[in-house]
Amino acid sequence: MAVLPGATLGILGGGQLGRMFALDAKRMSYRVAVLEPSKDSPCGQIADHVITAPYTDEKGLRELADKSDVLTYEFENVDAKAVEFLEGLGKPVHPSSKVLRITQDRILEKTFALNANIPVTAFAAIRSGEDLENGMTAVGFPAFLKTSRGGYDGKGQVRIENADEGRKAFANFSGVDLILEGLVPFEKEISIVAARRQDGYFSAYPPSENVHVRNILDLSLHPARISNSTASAAYNIAFKVGEGLGIVGTFCVEIFVLSDGSLMMNEIAPRPHNSGHATIDACLCSQFEQQVRAICGLPLGSTELLRSAAMINLIGTGEGNRLDGVEQLLAAPDASLHLYGKSEAPKGRKMGHFTVLANSADIAEKRARELQKQLKWV
Ligand code: AMP
């Protein structure tokens, strides 16, 4: 049974992804309830019901479930136990706690990919000094040693060039599960945002091409400048991920493109993704509206890219909380500004983004870079 407009959608996590989900949900006449520990959160500013509690607080979770007809979450470092608890209360939660458990753990995620015939780099689970020695022999160098859980935006990972560096890095990580991954000599990083309904209906946006600066997404270009066969291989990976995990909702698969055009999966995000924000301005149905549609069992919307687009993240530098140059950006007829309602802009914090529309990805990129230069945190 479809959950129709007028119903209440519950969301665990009150960050910018929740905010953009809530904005689209409200446009469609849904009500939104959010559970988030911090006050005045980006999503809390938009939601109809705000529950201020830790993600694991049973009373808060129960209140969220009571208010909601269907539930989702907006970031994958929510404790899977909280999602299991919500499931136990009998309300539908999409994606399921099983999806969350796998996608928040790099070892489980890469093992899933291997079993689903999705190409991934050589990897080894590292839980002891012995695992490390065996893993370094099997994987070789250069490699990345990463925490299996809890890492994001490049946090919790170290590049290692030899066994000594591996042992040093291992000692510094003290006791958490790790994964050793062979370095992928990629030419490009792309991602594909897709959505799947409970009945298996699947749809994906064209892949985007992503540029990271200090491990944080800086620019996403739509469509990615890749061949049709590479794009359809990415589509196949996303389909296998959605089907294999039984995901219901919008999700994203980050993929490395090698120089011969072959692909290797990097990560899965079981939610809308930063690299899909341009779908708000460049598609009839954004990745957030698609999330609403998918979790509510409604027809999925169009994923057609109506124009080429470039999205630039506005990241705090720690130098100030005011974005200088906003008026110049607003004067640009080809750009759209999105700010997330955060008052403090410490270094590395995602404060907003802007999207430029153009007739080709090359033009969008050039124009976005010009506009980016005019903006500064002061
Ligand atoms: P992750 O948090 O795993 O997405 O890593 C953040 C970024 O580090 C990726 O977007 C890549 O640019 C780089 N990276 C991570 N793992 C690898 C790898 N195995 N090979 C090459 N680059 C990687």
Side-chain angles (χ1 to χ4, degrees):
M1 272 268 285
V3 177
L4 294 170
T8 301
L9 311 181
I11 184 157
L12 211 46
Q16 65 268 17
L17 298 177
R19 177 186 180 92
M20 289 182 270
F21 170 85
L23 285 168
D24 270 1
K26 301 266 315 175
R27 180 172 49 77
M28 297 165 81
S29 204
Y30 286 94
R31 295 194 177 271
V32 175
V34 63
L35 183 147
E36 158 67 34
S38 60
K39 291 216 167 83
D40 194 35
S41 66
C43 181
Q45 294 166 12
I46 309 293
D48 299 276
H49 308 287
V50 180
I51 300 157
T52 309
Y55 299 127
T56 46
D57 181 73
E58 291 197 357
K59 188 167 161 277
L61 290 166
R62 209 177 280 280
E63 194 181 335
L64 181 71
D66 282 347
K67 290 212 165 6
S68 309
D69 296 287
V70 58
L71 293 133
T72 188
Y73 43 88
E74 59 117 39
F75 76 125
E76 66 267 37
N77 289 323
V78 167
D79 195 329
K81 284 202 189 97
V83 174
E84 254 169 35
F85 181 79
L86 287 174
E87 285 168 344
L89 297 175
K91 288 280 166 73
V93 188
H94 300 304
S96 69
S97 60
K98 183 198 126 197
V99 171
L100 179 59
R101 209 171 268 290
I102 293 173
T103 54
Q104 68 184 187
D105 184 320
R106 294 180 195 273
I107 297 171
L108 298 180
E109 187 174 73
K110 289 228 159 48
T111 305
F112 154 76
L114 209 57
N115 292 335
N117 277 325
I118 296 168
V120 279
T121 188
F123 71 95
I126 310 291
R127 298 192 176 91
S128 66
E130 197 187 337
D131 285 349
L132 179 72
E133 297 303 326
N134 294 336
M136 290 192 297
T137 307
V139 170
F141 301 101
F144 282 88
L145 191 61
K146 304 179 178 181
T147 55
S148 191
R149 297 161 57 89
Y152 64 97
D153 287 343
K155 293 189 176 72
Q157 59 173 273
V158 189
R159 180 178 160 146
I160 56 171
E161 303 293 336
N162 54 50
D164 272 350
E165 284 185 17
R167 289 178 197 120
K168 265 191 212 130
F170 177 74
N172 287 338
F173 275 122
S174 71
V176 293
D177 286 357
L178 302 172
I179 185 169
L180 185 70
E181 288 180 15
L183 177 135
V184 180
F186 62 81
E187 196 163 73
K188 265 186 187 158
E189 291 188 78
I190 61 167
S191 57
I192 178 159
V193 173
R196 187 178 173 278
R197 284 193 329 200
Q198 193 144 32
D199 61 5
Y201 193 92
F202 172 89
S203 182
Y205 293 91
S208 67
E209 181 177 330
N210 305 322
V211 178
H212 296 86
V213 173
R214 285 179 287 279
N215 278 321
I216 301 180
L217 185 68
D218 176 43
L219 168 97
S220 281
L221 272 187
H222 306 252
R225 293 166 297 191
I226 52 177
S227 68
N228 287 344
S229 64
T230 304
S232 69
Y235 183 93
N236 285 338
I237 289 178
F239 182 80
K240 281 186 189 173
V241 165
E243 201 63 17
L245 291 176
I247 299 179
V248 177
T250 293
F251 63 100
C252 176
V253 189
E254 294 179 44
I255 300 170
F256 297 125
V257 184
L258 284 77
S259 55
D260 63 359
S262 64
L263 302 180
M264 277 192 185
M265 189 193 95
N266 176 26
E267 283 196 300
I268 305 162
R271 50 163 174 79
H273 192 258
N274 195 167
S275 64
H277 289 356
T279 59
I280 299 172
D281 298 300
C283 299
L284 263 187
C285 173
S286 78
Q287 61 168 351
F288 300 100
E289 178 176 338
Q290 199 75 306
Q291 173 79 344
V292 172
R293 289 171 177 246
I295 67 171
C296 290
L298 295 172
L300 295 183
S302 167
T303 54
E304 185 191 354
L305 207 52
L306 300 174
R307 297 286 299 280
S308 294
M311 187 251 15
I312 296 255
N313 263 341
L314 301 171
I315 312 237
T317 57
E319 282 154 59
N321 300 323
R322 189 175 67 78
L323 187 62
D324 193 47
V326 163
E327 283 168 74
Q328 286 95 313
L329 186 72
L330 292 174
D334 48 355
S336 168
L337 176 66
H338 302 252
L339 294 172
Y340 304 152
K342 300 178 183 179
S343 52
E344 307 271 317
K347 194 170 176 307
R349 189 173 198 202
K350 290 176 181 167
M351 300 297 292
H353 71 267
F354 71 88
T355 302
V356 168
L357 299 182
N359 288 337
S360 75
D362 284 335
I363 299 171
E365 179 183 30
K366 187 163 171 287
R367 183 72 181 131
R369 290 299 188 199
E370 280 167 17
L371 292 171
Q372 186 183 29
K373 284 197 200 105
Q374 303 178 352
L375 297 167
K376 194 174 183 310
W377 291 99
V378 291

